[in-house]
Amino acid sequence: MATTINSTMYSGEVLEIIAFRLHDQEFCVKTTTIREIRGWAPSTPLPHAPKDVIGVMNLRGSVIPIIDLAYKLGMKSTVANERSAIVVAEVHNMVIGMLVDRVSDILTIPSSQVQPVPEVSASFDKSFSEGIIANETGMICFLNLSKMFKGTEMEDIAA
């Protein structure tokens, strides 16, 4: 069974994306969800926080949660170093920071370059991904932050 991307969502569009690395894989999100990119700075741990929440940091007077994006995606946790970055995004009207190994690039691509995520198995949940972008250097998984961080989950992080 062939899977298609919602063609009304991307038909004829040009997408601006920010690509970043988690371990040896490349991922991206739309630049419209990104507020800024910061260098790594230690965060303050929170007791009893969800396992993907590293802690919180002060962003110009606002306290925001820092998410271990690799762990959130089912990978081993990221060990932050001087090349790591915090990608600050707004999801469901809440600002979060996502720890990534490093930011790779900011790209403008035709929407036709986004291919559907293939069916792997009946139990495979591909809702975190908008699709796959194949380019000359490899493949980039296009993440959907609003589906990764559901509104109720965001309220739990903020509580």
Side-chain angles (χ1 to χ4, degrees):
M1 175 172 105
T3 306
T4 59
I5 291 180
N6 181 351
S7 60
T8 58
M9 186 175 189
Y10 294 121
S11 62
E13 274 187 61
V14 173
L15 300 171
E16 288 190 3
I17 58 172
I18 181 166
F20 50 86
R21 295 196 72 80
L22 294 171
H23 304 299
D24 292 329
Q25 296 181 356
E26 196 151 20
F27 296 88
C28 70
V29 294
K30 287 183 183 178
T31 57
T32 54
T33 62
I34 303 304
R35 283 190 151 190
E36 65 183 88
I37 300 164
R38 300 179 56 90
W40 167 248
S43 59
T44 303
L46 289 175
H48 303 290
K51 291 187 181 212
D52 60 336
V53 177
I54 298 168
V56 293
M57 71 180 285
N58 183 345
L59 181 67
R60 287 183 300 289
S62 295
V63 177
I64 65 168
I66 305 300
I67 309 296
D68 182 344
L69 194 56
Y71 188 87
K72 177 79 175 169
L73 292 170
M75 304 165 75
K76 69 177 182 163
S77 288
T78 298
V79 177
N81 61 44
E82 67 279 347
R83 294 198 63 179
S84 298
I86 305 270
V87 177
V88 180
E90 186 170 339
V91 184
H92 301 294
N93 296 316
M94 185 176 165
V95 178
I96 61 168
M98 299 177 295
L99 173 62
V100 301
D101 289 338
R102 65 184 164 88
V103 173
S104 311
D105 212 346
I106 296 175
L107 304 165
T108 302
I109 61 162
S111 59
S112 59
Q113 219 176 322
V114 180
Q115 298 179 29
V117 176
E119 294 290 334
V120 176
S121 71
S123 63
F124 174 60
D125 179 11
K126 60 183 183 179
S127 65
F128 283 8
S129 179
E130 294 278 343
I132 303 292
I133 300 166
N135 63 20
E136 61 280 349
T137 60
M139 292 196 281
I140 305 170
C141 182
F142 188 8
L143 298 176
N144 182 326
L145 295 180
S146 16
K147 289 184 179 172
M148 284 178 65
F149 300 99
K150 294 178 177 33
T152 54
E153 180 182 48
M154 298 304 290
E155 290 169 12
D156 289 345
I157 291 172

